[in-house]
Amino acid sequence: DLVRSRGLGDVYKRQVGDEVVTVGGIMGKVNALKDQVVTVEIASGTEVQMQKGAITTVLPKGTLKSA
C-alpha cells in the first residue's frame, strides 16, 4: 500500500511503469528515474520531468488505460 505522508518521494520507491498522480493532479506513467528526478509521460509522446516529491499517489496498474 501507498504510504501517505510528507516526503513521499523519499519513502516510496517508484518503478518505471508505475501509473501516478502528481501534486498538481496530472496523471501519467513513469518512464525514467534518476536521483531525485522522475520522467512522467502525460500523453503519447509527451514527457515532463519533475521532482520525486511531486508524486502524491501511485495508481493501480491499468488505471490510465481505462480513463
Side-chain angles (χ1 to χ4, degrees):
D1 283 340
L2 178 66
V3 177
R4 294 179 188 266
S5 65
R6 187 172 170 229
L8 178 64
D10 295 328
V11 174
Y12 184 80
K13 300 291 185 191
R14 278 165 212 66
Q15 297 179 359
V16 171
D18 280 351
E19 296 177 4
V20 297
V21 179
T22 71
V23 68
I26 298 171
M27 299 169 71
K29 183 173 82 170
V30 175
N31 280 351
L33 299 163
K34 182 178 179 185
D35 299 324
Q36 292 299 311
V37 178
V38 180
T39 301
V40 178
E41 183 178 36
I42 58 173
S44 181
T46 304
E47 294 182 337
V48 293
Q49 291 184 330
M50 61 191 69
Q51 294 179 323
K52 284 184 178 180
I55 304 298
T56 58
T57 306
V58 177
L59 301 169
K61 297 278 185 195
T63 299
L64 296 180
K65 290 182 182 181
S66 63

